[in-house]
Amino acid sequence: MASTSSLPFIGTLPAGTRDAITDVAGVTVGHRTLADGPVQTGVTVIRPHAGDPFRDKVPAAAVVLNGFGKSLGLVQLAELGVLETPIALTNTFSVGTVATAQIRACAAANPETGRTLPAVNPLVFECNDGFLNDIQRLAVTEADYLQALAATDADFAQGSVGAGRGMSSFQLKGGIGSASRRVAIVDGTTYTVGALVLANYGRQPQLVLAGHAVGEKLAALQHAPKEASEPEKGSIIIVVATDAPLDARQLRRLALRAGPGLARTGSVFGHGSGDLVLAFSTAYTVPDRADRPMPAVAMLHDTLLDGLFQAAADSTEQAIFHALWRATPVTGRDGNHRAALGELLPASSLSPLV
């Protein structure tokens, strides 16, 4: 695997300690990876805090850049502006299984869920990994979600792991990538914005790395797969976290700013692509019951959001680079193969392309 130290650094804002979404304090990530011949898939879980999000809900908002997707939970999220389970990523055909696992986990922790307590709103995002993974096997189980949940930590793997195991991006191996940026606002307060992507999108001729249109050169270098000339069929899920005190309206605005970061890599949000962004804040939580006090939080003024917007765009673009660079090659269903960017550039350098 090529070292990320050779990658261009996007933007002028500094990264957090890990250059990952978990630089936002309290956020953790875990994976369950299934890699067995034609089964190349998995689950990735993002926990917004260490507690129970059904009891202590997290402000959140989502935007759909292109809606060719089958994610679950977005209607209630849009209405109420909070998430109440960990965020789960998986393959398209495993959404139902993972949602069931989230419901069972919530009911185990809160036995009156759906009875005297409201029903829980599971939140599951997906991309189609069917090129490498035999998606019809429905290999992901409820236990896989629970294992990914139990594995959540501030330090986590990226690349061909978890939900990213079978994903493709620009006819290369895609997968999980993450990055973060730190933002100082005018009063001297510093906030962190982190992004995590499930990259499964892009046509190779359109690939752009740090402003360099390298797709055509890369295609020639690897004798591009024939589908490089076909219409866009992939997807990307982007999760943006911040510790800045924002409400759901402001978080929707922040989520939209992941779009420029995605576009800079060569995406045009193609017809067949499911491009979804979720943004949440860890600055406060919303209690589940009216007899518990609501938080008294001074929200950040809208005129101070530009730095956060820049951080969302830059960390998204950087996270996509990390997904490509940290991926390892995978051979899966019917012998289908995806080479990794680091495999094609063994000198750990972009110089053959830019």
Side-chain angles (χ1 to χ4, degrees):
M1 187 187 331
S3 168
T4 53
S5 63
S6 57
L7 277 182
F9 185 85
I10 300 303
T12 57
L13 297 172
T17 303
R18 298 179 179 87
D19 198 7
I21 193 171
T22 51
D23 287 323
V24 178
V27 177
T28 54
V29 177
H31 305 296
R32 168 65 171 158
T33 304
L34 305 180
D36 184 10
V39 174
Q40 302 290 332
T41 192
V43 182
T44 294
V45 174
I46 304 167
R47 294 188 69 184
H49 58 68
D52 182 349
F54 185 69
R55 298 295 309 276
D56 296 296
K57 304 177 194 302
V58 177
V63 295
V64 178
L65 302 176
N66 195 68
F68 207 119
K70 289 83 177 170
S71 296
L72 188 149
L74 296 181
V75 172
Q76 182 172 311
L77 176 66
E79 182 69 22
L80 301 184
V82 293
L83 60 86
E84 52 189 40
T85 67
I87 303 154
L89 313 176
T90 191
N91 74 65
T92 305
F93 284 3
S94 297
V95 169
T97 297
V98 172
T100 298
Q102 289 185 324
I103 293 168
R104 290 192 200 278
C106 182
N110 305 277
E112 287 301 305
T113 302
R115 294 175 177 168
T116 60
L117 294 176
V120 65
N121 182 49
L123 187 61
V124 188
F125 292 94
E126 56 77 35
C127 292
N128 188 339
D129 59 10
F131 179 78
L132 290 173
N133 174 50
D134 187 354
I135 198 169
Q136 290 188 6
R137 292 198 182 197
L138 302 175
V140 171
T141 67
E142 293 180 38
D144 294 321
Y145 168 79
L146 294 176
Q147 289 185 46
L149 180 64
T152 53
D153 195 90
D155 295 310
F156 63 97
Q158 298 180 41
S160 307
V161 293
R165 177 64 189 179
M167 301 300 171
S168 304
S169 200
F170 296 100
Q171 283 79 52
L172 298 166
K173 186 67 193 68
I176 297 289
S178 193
S180 71
R181 295 293 184 266
R182 300 271 287 161
V183 181
I185 63 171
V186 290
D187 68 357
T189 305
T190 298
Y191 296 110
T192 301
V193 175
L196 183 144
V197 302
L198 178 62
N200 189 57
Y201 76 101
R203 296 181 55 248
Q204 192 166 108
Q206 295 174 323
L207 176 61
V208 177
L209 294 177
H212 297 276
V214 302
E216 295 287 358
K217 296 177 183 179
L218 182 61
L221 182 66
Q222 72 156 140
H223 309 293
K226 62 181 179 61
E227 75 265 26
S229 62
E230 296 177 357
E232 172 69 76
K233 297 178 182 178
S235 298
I236 186 169
I237 304 300
I238 304 168
V239 179
V240 177
T242 185
D243 54 7
L246 306 180
D247 62 19
R249 177 189 61 82
Q250 293 172 315
L251 287 165
R252 186 181 186 280
R253 299 187 71 201
L254 184 67
L256 278 168
R257 271 57 182 195
L262 173 59
R264 290 176 197 162
T265 67
S267 172
V268 296
F269 313 162
H271 161 70
S273 189
D275 304 330
L276 282 71
V277 188
L278 171 78
F280 68 89
S281 171
T282 63
Y284 61 98
T285 59
V286 178
D288 64 329
R289 301 185 188 187
D291 60 357
R292 298 173 61 201
M294 287 290 286
V297 179
M299 301 301 169
L300 200 62
H301 196 278
D302 280 0
T303 59
L304 301 177
L305 294 180
D306 279 355
L308 301 180
F309 291 166
Q310 178 183 345
D314 291 352
S315 60
T316 296
E317 184 179 0
Q318 192 81 65
I320 291 167
F321 285 3
H322 288 169
L324 289 166
W325 211 255
R326 288 175 167 152
T328 51
V330 171
T331 300
R333 177 183 64 83
D334 298 331
N336 290 340
H337 180 77
R338 288 297 189 211
L341 184 60
E343 176 190 35
L344 296 173
L345 301 175
S348 301
S349 171
L350 294 175
S351 58
L353 300 179
V354 298

